[in-house]
Amino acid sequence: MRFDTKIAVLLREDLEPWQRLNVTAFLVSGLGTAVPEVIGEPYEDADGVGYLPMFRQPVLVFEGTKETLTAAHGRALSRALPRAIFTSDLFTTGNDRDNRAAVRAVGTGELDLVGMAVHGPKNAVDKVLKGARMHP
């Protein structure tokens, strides 16, 4: 099946493995709430046990330098694409309230981004990710 939209996560290349997983999980949770059409139907196994729905399309994970991430963030903003961000400050907080306060305390151009998720038309997301490479 081909999709005319793309879900992508861009991670800063200097993150530790545990940070990459943590940031990715947080970022995609934001897209699922803001763009409900990306969520498929609930799952059910052969015994009738139900499971939560997940994204209806693949999530592609990329990595890049701090500069690549900053540029991608600017391009996502200029295209008004649905996006979620994760800043380095969020590694020191322990709850949603403190996470939101940490982001709110910093101006857009000064955010120390370590990850971003974006959804939109394939060509727009590809332009946002210019300079990034697929995560190994």
Side-chain angles (χ1 to χ4, degrees), residues 73-85:
H73 179 247
R75 290 190 291 266
L77 291 174
S78 72
R79 287 170 172 77
L81 294 176
R83 65 213 164 265
I85 62 164

Side-chain angles (χ1 to χ4, degrees), residues 26 86 89-90 93-104:
F26 270 94
F86 198 103
D89 294 332
L90 303 188
T93 60
N95 61 74
D96 184 55
R97 184 193 67 222
D98 291 341
N99 286 352
R100 285 183 283 109
V103 172
R104 187 176 303 119

Side-chain angles (χ1 to χ4, degrees), residues 37-82:
E37 63 269 19
V38 300
I39 304 296
E41 297 296 321
Y43 287 72
E44 185 176 293
D45 66 24
D47 294 322
V49 175
Y51 302 95
L52 295 173
M54 296 185 281
F55 288 125
R56 64 180 181 87
Q57 67 188 90
V59 176
L60 302 173
V61 181
F62 296 82
E63 68 175 8
T65 64
K66 181 177 183 172
E67 295 76 21
T68 301
L69 191 55
T70 299
H73 179 247
R75 290 190 291 266
L77 291 174
S78 72
R79 287 170 172 77
L81 294 176

Side-chain angles (χ1 to χ4, degrees), residues 9 11 18-32 55 59 61 84 86 117:
V9 173
L11 302 171
W18 73 267
Q19 292 173 316
R20 290 171 184 257
L21 296 170
N22 184 265
V23 170
T24 300
F26 270 94
L27 290 172
V28 297
S29 72
L31 287 180
F55 288 125
V59 176
V61 181
F86 198 103

